[in-house]
Amino acid sequence: MRQGEVGSTASWIGNPQGGVVAPDPLILPDPTVRFAATAARLRSLADGHPMADWLRFMAGLAQAQHDAASTLGALAAPDADLVSQAVEARMPPLAADGHRRDPLWRESLAILLDSSDDGPFGGSVPAEARAVMQSLRARGVPATEKLADDFLSGGVAPADMGAALYVAAALQAYFTCLAGRLSSADLRLLPERGLCPCCGSSPVSGVVTASGPTPGTRYLHCSLCSTAWNHVRAVCITCGKSRAVSLLAIEGDSGAVKAETCGDCRSYAKMLYQLQDMKVDPVADDLASLGLDLLVAEAGWSRHAPNPLLLLR
């Protein structure tokens, strides 16, 4: 109040505690909307896109993931004691390479494969994809589980890349449903800030918020279980340095998708900005911006981690 003014007699409507609101350290996924939102965004981005047919195909896959997630209601919640032990040891409670999978995950895979017949893919499934689906149907349980293990450990053989797409999609639905059954209050960020606090996987992209109590916050989004966690901005998520971090984008684009590059480790990661487009989706917008990946790779940077649905990148 400036000198000589009289204080207002109106009631206080601000935050009585004052201070700065801290962002939520992590946000667990909602399996009921996660994949449907990605499918809708992909369909929207496909209009007028040079890769329209492929994006619509991926939208069908995302819709099939939504259907698969909807059938996992019988999935048991993670054991509370095991979760507590892992968190206390600063380890991810759903560690992708050590988690004992419930056989129900294979039901998700079956739904994805059945989508080739009058499912969300409609008639857009290429003949090559139909052949891959048929070969997966013919695999026995041990071979299917081995392919899942290979994917989660990053050791998929070149001959299995096509089949791994559907296994990866099914595992995303499964791990997203598991993460959705956790309580954020029981979890902690990992010492390795670039890894998911739930399953230990790498992020598919980051989103910088433009609304909520802490606009401008960066959340990395897990490529496997869809958990989002806070990571300080202007710091490389690969090496943790900040000296040579910069942003690259395609000239003339909206600026909603940029590549955050690091001159120290020569890596990059996709960052999405809600300020330019409130509808950005961490998976859909990553898939729709492959042109940016190509340009950045040609300039000498390597991606922080691949999108699981693009194992050939």
Side-chain angles (χ1 to χ4, degrees):
M1 185 173 65
R2 289 187 298 232
Q3 186 175 5
E5 288 186 342
V6 177
S8 172
T9 58
S11 60
W12 171 254
I13 59 174
N15 180 0
Q17 302 301 321
V20 177
V21 178
D24 292 328
L26 59 90
I27 302 173
L28 294 173
D30 181 352
T32 66
V33 301
R34 149 67 176 94
F35 299 104
T38 296
R41 178 64 171 173
L42 282 167
R43 287 191 290 268
S44 174
L45 292 171
D47 293 339
H49 197 284
M51 301 184 298
D53 290 342
W54 178 71
L55 290 179
R56 292 190 181 101
F57 171 78
M58 297 305 292
L61 180 63
Q63 187 62 49
Q65 288 178 291
H66 172 73
D67 296 339
S70 300
T71 68
L72 291 175
L75 192 62
D79 183 89
D81 290 337
L82 293 179
V83 170
S84 178
Q85 292 172 16
V87 172
E88 185 64 26
R90 305 305 297 275
M91 298 290 289
L94 302 178
D97 57 356
H99 171 73
R100 185 173 181 178
R101 294 184 298 275
D102 189 305
L104 281 174
W105 86 267
R106 294 195 301 273
E107 293 188 14
S108 295
L109 178 59
I111 290 174
L112 293 176
L113 299 180
D114 289 343
S115 295
S116 62
D117 304 314
D118 301 322
F121 292 112
S124 64
V125 179
E128 296 85 352
R130 290 182 182 274
V132 169
M133 290 177 172
Q134 188 58 39
S135 69
L136 263 175
R137 289 191 182 97
R139 290 194 183 211
V141 170
T144 301
E145 291 289 353
K146 182 181 184 305
L147 181 53
D149 289 338
D150 290 345
F151 164 72
L152 292 173
S153 64
V156 176
D160 285 329
M161 287 294 188
L165 165 67
Y166 300 97
V167 169
L171 289 172
Q172 284 180 332
Y174 170 77
F175 275 94
T176 296
C177 287
L178 274 183
R181 285 166 168 73
L182 295 172
S183 169
S184 59
D186 297 332
L187 303 175
R188 299 169 64 187
L189 298 178
L190 299 179
E192 183 64 46
R193 286 293 194 267
L195 299 179
C196 174
C198 279
C199 70
S201 298
S202 300
V204 65
S205 65
V207 175
V208 178
T209 64
S211 61
T214 55
T217 300
R218 174 165 73 171
Y219 284 98
L220 304 183
H221 287 254
C222 181
S223 59
L224 182 64
C225 75
S226 306
T227 295
W229 68 100
N230 179 233
H231 192 293
V232 64
R233 295 175 63 179
V235 171
C236 176
I237 67 174
T238 301
C239 69
K241 297 180 181 179
S242 60
R243 181 181 62 85
V245 172
S246 61
L247 294 172
L248 297 179
I250 295 178
E251 187 176 355
D253 276 6
S254 66
V257 183
K258 298 180 181 180
E260 185 177 270
T261 64
C262 177
D264 285 314
C265 66
R266 302 300 295 177
S267 73
Y268 78 95
K270 292 272 192 71
M271 295 298 147
L272 316 179
Y273 293 83
Q274 289 184 341
L275 189 62
Q276 277 68 43
D277 189 341
M278 287 298 296
K279 296 181 180 179
V280 290
D281 178 272
V283 175
D285 284 80
D286 176 45
L287 295 175
S289 57
L290 285 180
L292 178 59
D293 287 280
L294 295 176
L295 292 174
V296 176
E298 289 176 357
W301 280 278
S302 299
R303 180 159 167 145
H304 168 74
N307 185 319
L309 303 181
L310 291 170
L311 294 178
L312 294 180
R313 265 166 56 191

